[in-house]
């Protein structure tokens, strides 16, 4: 069976310990390749390769860095169909989603930060007493990037591209659950002419390989996207070492629907924001709050549209709901559906394992599930489920909606549906989320800072903030 390799010092190599983990195709529930179970020895090798490459890369002109990163973006685009297919097999998501979101956005990440490299600027201040003060921004050295399984190549490149653009060398680890597109990225890096050691990609588990990256003293910063639980563990290790930390963590996002919204537009987008990628997007709205006067209308239309979603083989063109990424995650979502029932929730749609015939009979599929009748303070409404499960309930006033929206430990994103401009601004200021979408969802401008409030993370990624995160800022004062 095919064995994925680590990418260290420009070469595709076996893990030192020769240990491998099973890599499953979740749509059929079977192992289809092996992934390195890397450990401290592999991390050490990768750090040495990155340290060796650092001086050359940091001193490569911004325009040359830009050209190489642009080539990587072009190669991702050229291989888009192939990459979409393997991302779908690795993750269980519909191939059409990978082809329209994950893979184009992965290329866009490289393209955006390639051009950011040549436009990166710094501040200078003339002081009143004849002095010039400026900020000298230099790459940190070797940095670590760790990403999750839900948008595998998209989130992996979102961390790596700004680090490379700012002149750092990277030791990166994708999720062990979805390693395949990161392995393809290794091959693309070789093809693009990226100098050896500038990017090193290690495969393996969080507790073994990820933890070894986080605690390595030569790694100056950690950019992490994943669960709040793992974020806490990482912060515990990295903070006393005074590493720079960017943590993009979990969410329990409210979708607040006012009666004056454009109903049809809201309904179409709410189906996507609830169930895209089987609900396995950190930005999905899992708590749907609906103004009481349109609650009944919304409920019946939402249930009707949800029942039309086609669950099936992720490789088929007309599939809208694919497989859940792993057996472990499948069990977790089913457990939460049982908890919702125990808490008194009423299932309006779904709530069951979805049987899929033929090739995918052994796969891990769950019906898109809508639950009603739960208090906002119950586990189902407080804990991140990260699957195709949403709760719906009515609210009466704006104040009540704000209070419910802010009632969890998370603060990643929120969606607000209203045609009232003043209300839209009031709500945006009052809801405690790092990202607020008004009358839309998942629209991204890469120039804006991206990230969550409260337990959804610290630090902001995107645009200048991401480039700055990966630099050391020196304050230089020159007396004239
Ligand atoms: P996870 O935290 O289990 O794993 C994420 C990555 O961290 C994986 O590569 C894993 O191997 C590694 N890891 C785990 N424990 C580690 C440790 N102690 N030290 C170092 N590395 C470790 O998360 P997941 O299940 O892969 O992803 C789902 C989670 O990610 C959800 O909570 C979701 O909300 C979150 N997420 C957040 C964002 C965001 O932008 N805020 C985006 C996508 C996903």
């Amino acid at each position: 069976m095919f064995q994925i390799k680590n990418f260290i010092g420009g070469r595709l190599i076996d893990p030192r310990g020769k240990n491998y983990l099973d890599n499953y195709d979740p749509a059929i529930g079977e192992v289809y390749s092996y992934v390195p179970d890397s450990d401290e020895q592999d991390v050490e090798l990768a750090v040495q390769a990155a340290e060796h490459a650092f001086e050359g890369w940091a001193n490569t002109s911004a325009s040359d860095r830009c050209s190489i990163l642009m080539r990587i973006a072009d190669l991702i685009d050229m291989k888009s169909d192939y990459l979409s297919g393997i991302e779908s097999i690795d993750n269980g998501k519909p191939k059409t989603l990978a082809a329209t979101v994950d893979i184009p956005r992965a290329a866009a990440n490289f393209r955006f930060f390639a051009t950011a490299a040549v436009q990166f600027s710094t501040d200078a201040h003339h002081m009143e007493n004849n002095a010039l003060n400026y900020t000298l921004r230099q790459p940190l050295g070797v940095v670590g990037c760790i990403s999750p399984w839900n948008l595998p190549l998209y989130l992996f490149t979102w961390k790596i591209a700004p680090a490379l653009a700012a002149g750092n060398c990277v030791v990166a680890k994708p999720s062990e659950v979805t390693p395949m597109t990161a392995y393809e990225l290794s091959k693309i890096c070789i093809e693009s002419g990226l100098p050896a050691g500038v990017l090193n990609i290690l495969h393996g588990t969080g507790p073994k390989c990820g933890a070894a990256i986080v605690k390595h003293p030569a790694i100056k910063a950690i950019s992490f996207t994943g669960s709040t639980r793992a974020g806490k563990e990482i912060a515990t290790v990295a903070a006393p070492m005074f590493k720079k930390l960017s943590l993009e963590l979990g969410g329990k996002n409210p979708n607040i629907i006012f009666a004056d919204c454009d109903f049809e537009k809201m309904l179409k987008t709410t189906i996507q924001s609830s169930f895209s990628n089987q609900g396995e997007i950190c930005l999905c709205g899992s708590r749907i709050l609906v103004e009481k006067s349109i609650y009944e209308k919304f409920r019946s239309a939402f249930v009707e549209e949800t029942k039309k979603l086609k669950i099936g083989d992720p490789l088929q063109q007309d599939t809208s709901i694919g497989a859940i990424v792993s057996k472990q995650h499948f069990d977790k979502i089913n457990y939460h559906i049982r908890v919702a029932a125990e808490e008194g929730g009423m299932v309006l749609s779904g709530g069951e394992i979805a049987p899929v015939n033929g090739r995918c009979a052994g796969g891990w599929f769950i019906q898109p599930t809508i639950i009603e009748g739960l208090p906002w303070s119950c586990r189902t409404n407080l804990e991140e489920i990260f699957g195709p499960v949403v709760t719906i309930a009515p609210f009466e006033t704006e104040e009540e909606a704000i209070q419910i929206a802010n009632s969890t430990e998370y603060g990643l994103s929120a969606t607000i549906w209203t045609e009232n401009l003043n209300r839209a601004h009031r709500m945006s200021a009052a809801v405690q989320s790092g990202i607020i979408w008004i009358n839309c969802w998942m629209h991204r401008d890469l120039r804006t800072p991206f990230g969550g409030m409260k337990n959804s993370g610290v630090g902001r990624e995107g645009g200048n903030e991401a480039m700055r995160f990966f630099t050391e800022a020196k304050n230089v004062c020159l007396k004239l």
Side-chain angles (χ1 to χ4, degrees):
M1 200 172 288
F2 180 72
Q3 283 182 338
I4 289 172
K5 305 283 179 208
N6 284 333
F7 178 52
I8 301 179
R11 293 185 314 127
L12 294 168
I13 57 174
D14 290 318
R16 289 292 289 270
K18 301 269 186 289
N19 295 318
Y20 285 84
L21 305 160
D22 291 338
N23 183 28
Y24 286 86
D25 173 345
I28 57 173
E30 285 175 16
V31 176
Y32 84 106
S33 72
Y34 297 123
V35 59
D37 184 11
S38 307
D39 60 22
E40 283 184 356
Q41 300 179 76
D42 303 291
V43 172
E44 187 54 46
L45 264 189
V47 170
Q48 282 173 17
E51 284 187 313
H52 186 70
F54 176 62
E55 204 183 321
W57 184 244
N59 291 312
T60 298
S61 71
S63 62
D64 286 349
R65 287 205 297 267
C66 171
S67 305
I68 295 175
L69 298 183
M70 279 292 198
R71 264 205 301 281
I72 296 177
D74 291 344
L75 286 164
I76 293 174
D77 276 341
M78 272 168 54
K79 295 167 195 265
S80 168
D81 186 58
Y82 174 68
L83 290 170
S84 305
I86 58 171
E87 181 115 317
S88 167
I89 293 168
D90 225 20
N91 173 278
K93 70 178 66 205
K95 184 183 169 189
T96 50
L97 184 72
T100 49
V101 177
D102 296 60
I103 305 305
R105 287 193 181 198
N109 287 341
F110 271 108
R111 204 162 275 126
F112 177 85
F113 285 108
T115 55
V118 286
Q119 298 187 40
F120 192 49
S121 62
T122 188
D123 300 322
H125 306 277
H126 277 282
M127 297 171 73
E128 281 168 11
N129 50 358
N130 263 349
L132 175 67
N133 208 325
Y134 65 91
T135 310
L136 181 63
R137 291 199 172 269
Q138 295 172 311
L140 296 170
V142 180
V143 299
C145 297
I146 301 176
S147 63
W149 48 256
N150 63 321
L151 301 164
L153 192 61
Y154 175 16
L155 293 178
F156 197 51
T157 55
W158 177 238
K159 321 189 91 45
I160 291 169
L164 296 178
N168 300 279
C169 291
V170 176
V171 176
K173 191 191 89 63
S175 168
E176 63 277 27
V177 183
T178 53
M180 205 49 109
T181 41
Y183 171 66
E184 288 302 318
L185 181 66
S186 314
K187 295 200 270 178
I188 286 173
C189 288
I190 296 171
E191 210 177 327
S192 72
L194 185 75
V198 170
L199 172 61
N200 304 277
I201 299 176
L202 295 177
H203 298 274
T205 65
K208 203 195 271 185
C209 180
I213 293 173
V214 173
K215 73 170 189 231
H216 198 293
I219 294 184
K220 305 287 183 230
I222 298 292
S223 173
F224 170 80
T225 300
S227 61
T228 297
R229 177 202 55 77
K232 263 185 209 159
E233 282 173 25
I234 289 170
T236 309
V237 176
M241 297 176 84
F242 305 112
K243 295 190 183 208
K244 281 185 112 173
L245 261 184
S246 168
L247 301 173
E248 296 300 338
L249 310 175
K252 189 75 184 173
N253 310 311
N255 178 0
I256 308 167
I257 300 168
F258 286 96
D260 65 2
C261 69
D262 176 332
F263 192 86
E264 290 312 314
K265 200 166 123 192
M266 174 279 297
L267 185 64
K268 193 162 171 253
T269 307
T270 295
I271 291 285
Q272 290 170 357
S273 66
S274 304
F275 302 124
S276 279
N277 207 39
Q278 301 72 246
E280 296 165 338
I281 300 182
C282 55
L283 308 166
C284 277
S286 51
R287 295 180 295 145
I288 306 179
L289 292 64
V290 187
E291 195 167 1
K292 199 173 176 190
S293 59
I294 60 160
Y295 184 73
E296 296 300 324
K297 178 181 172 191
F298 171 80
R299 181 174 61 171
S300 58
F302 186 52
V303 169
E304 190 184 326
E305 289 306 307
T306 299
K307 287 189 168 155
K308 287 183 195 161
L309 293 172
K310 181 165 179 269
I311 309 165
D313 187 339
L315 295 177
Q316 277 175 11
Q317 190 73 21
D318 60 346
T319 293
S320 21
I321 306 279
I324 300 300
V325 72
S326 65
K327 176 69 167 59
Q328 191 190 11
H329 197 52
F330 173 82
D331 290 342
K332 178 188 158 186
I333 297 168
N334 284 317
Y335 164 74
H336 274 284
I337 293 172
R338 287 198 299 278
V339 168
E342 281 160 25
E343 288 180 321
M346 199 165 76
V347 174
L348 300 180
S349 179
E352 305 274 341
I353 293 169
V356 174
N357 295 327
R359 188 184 85 88
C360 297
W364 304 310
F365 295 84
I366 296 180
Q367 294 171 340
T369 298
I370 305 170
I371 299 169
E372 187 189 45
L374 288 172
W376 294 112
S377 56
C378 70
R379 280 186 66 192
T380 307
N381 274 323
L382 294 177
E383 295 176 17
E384 186 185 45
I385 299 173
F386 213 52
V389 181
V390 297
T391 60
I392 64 169
F395 70 86
E396 292 195 37
T397 63
E398 219 175 279
E399 292 68 33
E400 188 191 357
I402 293 166
Q403 194 246 322
I404 296 165
N406 293 342
S407 64
T408 76
E409 65 177 26
Y410 295 107
L412 188 53
S413 72
T415 309
I416 297 163
W417 290 94
T418 178
E419 292 292 302
N420 178 330
L421 190 62
N422 288 344
R423 173 188 278 152
H425 285 295
R426 266 198 314 274
M427 292 294 293
S428 304
V431 171
Q432 295 162 347
S433 299
I435 303 146
I436 310 266
W437 279 295
I438 300 167
N439 300 333
C440 62
W441 179 69
M442 273 285 268
H443 273 268
R444 285 279 287 118
D445 182 328
L446 300 188
R447 290 169 299 186
T448 57
F450 173 94
M453 294 168 66
K454 296 166 36 182
N455 290 6
S456 290
V458 290
R460 288 290 179 273
E461 301 187 344
N464 278 339
E465 310 239 6
M467 292 281 286
R468 287 184 175 171
F469 172 77
F470 286 112
T471 62
E472 197 68 76
K474 279 187 193 158
N475 178 355
V476 182
C477 185
L478 172 71
K479 186 84 174 101
L480 299 172

